């Protein structure tokens, strides 16, 4: 469990928050010293000035401390100051130059390093960053899933894109996997839901933003919890087990999975059949000099699909997204 404010703002705010988190099962106290802000002129962190405040938390409250690093100078200062864990922020993971600079600066240290996913949903970029740190000989490398920027307006600040996170987990099953429901949700009222979902998917740990007075926070005010709210959240979260001890439950799970596998096979076969027809259609259009995209036809298809989805008790937005992908692929095949 990693918790603490988005940014270190003052010694009172850092120490006051940490004191309230003491004894709550928080393993690392976080606070951002250098803040990568989207808009210039926003609060960009107090920088190295907060190092003694963080050291005081470690010394007087016995809590391990962590912060975000983006340049080698940050790494050097933090290692010197005795930080226990460092993380690479989403905007930095997206930049291989910076990740390499950090990996070089971290070489030879045994600090824990967590890599947040890049802001764009690019698994390779995330994997690449982990790989750079591992090649630098770092042994305590983990990842933090904080969701992805999205152009579309969604309920969360960052789209969860769990599929990408789970793929990364499959590639590196042995490395600690954290979720950051605060940056994912972007709203204090949705943090619990995002945290619960993360746990249900089997993550190893959480990073949650927590501030002694969230409404006065200089960054991410809307998404930070008070220490009391965090306590409530931790009490209400139910962790799920990865396996059931009951053989009857295991058998029932297995039966569902067998059924699903068979259906998945059929779905793939149906998609292949659909694509074959699509290619035939494409050839007809080409031979007869007809436009590939006929907007009214697509609108009719979508309408039919949605009606059918409603009748089958399937979410309409889900059916729409699936068919948009199918339609895109089918247009790609026609030329
Ligand atoms: C943060 O943890 O405060 C932060 C800036 O996160 P991210 O890199 O996920 O945006
Ligand atoms: Mn933040």
């Amino acid at each position: 469990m990693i918790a603490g404010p988005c940014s270190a703002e003052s010694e009172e705010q850092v120490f006051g928050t940490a004191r309230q988190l003491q004894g709550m099962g928080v393993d690392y106290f976080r606070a951002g010293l250098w803040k990568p802000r989207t808009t210039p002129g926003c609060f960009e962190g107090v920088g190295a000035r907060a190092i003694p405040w963080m050291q005081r938390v470690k010394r007087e409250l016995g809590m391990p401390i962590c912060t975000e690093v983006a340049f080698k100078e940050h790494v050097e200062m933090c290692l010197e100051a005795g930080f226990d864990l460092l993380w690479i922020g989403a905007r930095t993971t997206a930049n291989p130059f910076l990740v390499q600079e950090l990996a070089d600066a971290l070489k030879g240290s045994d600090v824990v390093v967590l890599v947040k996913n890049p802001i764009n949903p690019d698994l390779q970029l995330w994997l690449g960053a982990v790989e750079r740190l591992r090649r630098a000989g770092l042994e305590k490398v983990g990842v933090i899933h904080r969701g992805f920027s999205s152009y579309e307006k969604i309920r969360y600040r960052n789209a969860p894109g769990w599929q990408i996170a789970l793929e990364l987990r499959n590639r590196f099953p042995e490395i600690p996997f954290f979720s950051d429901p605060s940056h994912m949700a972007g709203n204090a009222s949705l943090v619990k839901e995002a945290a619960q979902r993360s746990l249900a998917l089997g993550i190893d740990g959480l990073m949650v933003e927590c501030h002694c007075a969230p409404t006065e926070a200089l960054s991410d005010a809307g998404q930070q919890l008070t220490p009391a709210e965090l306590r409530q959240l931790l009490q209400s979260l139910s962790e799920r087990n990865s396996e059931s001890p009951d053989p009857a439950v295991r058998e029932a799970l297995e039966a569902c999975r067998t059924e699903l596998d068979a259906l998945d096979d059929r779905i793939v076969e149906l998609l292949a059949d659909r694509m074959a027809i699509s290619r035939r259609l494409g050839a007809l259009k080409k031979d007869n000099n007809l436009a590939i995209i006929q907007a009214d036809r697509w609108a009719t298809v979508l309408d039919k699909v949605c009606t059918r989805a409603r009748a089958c008790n399937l979410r309409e937005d889900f059916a729409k997204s699936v068919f948009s992908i199918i339609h895109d692929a089918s247009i790609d095949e026609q030329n």
Side-chain angles (χ1 to χ4, degrees):
M1 180 72 207
I2 303 170
C6 178
S7 305
E9 300 166 4
S10 68
E11 182 164 0
E12 296 67 45
Q13 172 252 5
V14 166
F15 199 74
T17 306
R19 200 174 24 213
Q20 291 187 59
L21 293 178
Q22 212 188 10
M24 250 162 69
V26 172
D27 303 296
Y28 291 91
F29 178 74
R30 69 153 276 163
L33 274 50
W34 302 277
K35 300 302 299 179
R37 304 308 299 279
T38 303
T39 313
C42 290
F43 175 66
E44 291 184 326
V46 299
R49 211 150 56 81
I51 290 179
W53 312 339
M54 296 296 278
Q55 287 175 312
R56 185 175 164 210
V57 168
K58 180 168 172 167
R59 192 175 58 244
E60 294 183 23
L61 303 176
M63 292 169 97
I65 49 174
C66 62
T67 196
E68 171 175 346
V69 287
F71 297 121
K72 67 174 190 307
E73 292 77 10
H74 299 159
V75 171
E76 287 158 7
M77 283 188 269
C78 289
L79 291 180
E80 165 83 27
F83 276 76
D84 303 281
L85 179 157
L86 301 173
W87 80 85
I88 299 181
R91 292 158 191 78
T92 306
T93 307
N95 184 335
F97 286 137
L98 288 177
V99 175
Q100 191 57 52
E101 173 177 323
L102 294 172
D104 293 340
L106 284 159
K107 220 173 257 175
S109 107
D110 74 339
V111 73
V112 182
V113 186
L114 302 181
V115 186
K116 285 201 171 192
N117 63 266
I119 44 176
N120 50 324
D122 186 332
L123 176 64
Q124 293 308 324
L125 211 44
W126 199 3
L127 286 171
V130 171
E131 200 55 45
R132 282 176 201 277
L133 294 171
R134 285 159 61 111
R135 283 188 191 192
L138 290 161
E139 282 172 8
K140 299 181 195 155
V141 180
V143 294
I144 307 177
H145 181 43
R146 47 79 82 196
F148 303 99
S149 282
S150 147
Y151 182 66
E152 280 165 47
K153 201 145 177 44
I154 50 170
R155 249 174 99 239
Y156 283 179
R157 176 179 176 188
N158 289 294
W162 284 110
Q163 199 49 44
I164 294 178
L166 294 174
E167 261 179 72
L168 184 126
R169 169 136 245 199
N170 285 341
R171 281 301 171 94
F172 293 122
E174 74 288 1
I175 74 175
F177 201 102
F178 285 74
S179 156
D180 172 347
S182 303
H183 287 90
M184 191 179 283
N187 183 321
S189 67
L190 297 174
V191 171
K192 179 179 164 188
E193 171 193 303
Q196 186 68 66
R197 179 93 186 113
S198 310
L199 280 189
L201 288 166
I203 51 103
D204 304 306
L206 291 171
M207 174 186 262
V208 179
E209 282 190 344
C210 186
H211 190 292
C212 55
T215 51
E216 288 160 31
L218 299 180
S219 59
D220 287 349
Q223 72 191 28
Q224 304 200 57
L225 305 181
T226 62
E229 285 167 342
L230 181 68
R231 182 188 298 275
Q232 249 178 5
L233 170 88
L234 292 181
Q235 283 165 353
S236 70
L237 287 180
S238 49
E239 209 168 328
R240 298 211 189 172
N241 302 319
S242 55
E243 258 193 39
S244 165
D246 182 347
V249 172
R250 286 206 301 269
E251 215 168 279
L253 284 172
E254 208 38 56
C256 284
R257 288 184 176 136
T258 309
E259 265 187 79
L260 278 182
D261 287 349
L263 273 181
D264 286 346
D265 282 351
R266 273 178 55 202
I267 293 175
V268 172
E269 286 157 19
L270 283 172
L271 284 174
D273 288 352
R274 193 187 191 287
M275 202 55 98
I277 299 177
S278 213
R279 275 189 219 109
R280 237 162 58 213
L281 184 63
L284 271 170
K285 286 179 188 166
K286 193 173 181 185
D287 293 347
N288 294 284
N289 200 29
L290 294 170
I292 292 175
I293 298 181
Q294 284 156 0
D296 50 343
R297 162 73 188 152
W298 172 231
T300 319
V301 171
L302 206 54
D303 199 46
K304 213 162 64 66
V305 162
C306 287
T307 311
R308 183 93 181 132
R310 272 197 307 274
C312 298
N313 236 342
L314 200 62
R315 263 178 38 209
E316 214 177 300
D317 60 336
F318 168 63
K320 250 187 201 164
S321 342
V322 170
F323 274 84
S324 299
I325 297 173
I326 294 177
H327 186 244
D328 281 351
S330 133
I331 294 295
D332 277 352
E333 286 283 325
Q334 304 183 12
N335 47 45

